[in-house]
Amino acid sequence: HNPVIYIGESEDIQNRIAQHLKNDDKSWLEKIVIFTSSNNFLTKGHIKNLEYNLIQEIKKSVSYYLDNGNKGT
């Protein structure tokens, strides 16, 4: 059984995490990794690109199961 990974992005991380923790489909959630920027160096476009690239890399992996409803943009 491969570890499950979810990759997502949000402008309101506190509410997004709360939504996931209430969701029975994400009851397996054990660890959260967050990328932030204190000087707005990371734009929405940067974050969407990061999300997309991470999703593509995990899809190629045979070591993880990707639990995403979207494909990233």
Side-chain angles (χ1 to χ4, degrees):
H1 185 261
N2 292 344
V4 179
I5 292 182
Y6 168 80
I7 298 170
E9 63 83 25
S10 177
E11 292 182 38
D12 186 348
I13 194 69
Q14 183 177 6
N15 283 334
R16 190 66 177 136
I17 291 171
Q19 286 175 342
H20 284 314
L21 293 177
K22 289 179 187 174
N23 184 344
D24 288 340
D25 292 342
K26 299 287 187 278
S27 62
W28 50 264
L29 190 62
E30 293 178 6
K31 296 179 185 175
I32 298 172
V33 176
I34 300 171
F35 295 92
T36 65
S37 174
S38 62
N39 61 1
N40 293 325
F41 180 75
L42 295 174
T43 67
K44 183 75 168 179
H46 290 126
I47 298 300
K48 289 285 196 179
N49 188 49
L50 179 61
E51 176 190 34
Y52 175 81
N53 287 318
L54 288 170
I55 288 171
Q56 298 313 307
E57 288 301 313
I58 294 301
K59 281 181 173 180
K60 291 188 264 182
S61 171
V62 295
S63 300
Y64 299 98
Y65 172 77
L66 182 66
D67 183 28
N68 270 63
N70 68 23
K71 297 178 174 126
T73 54

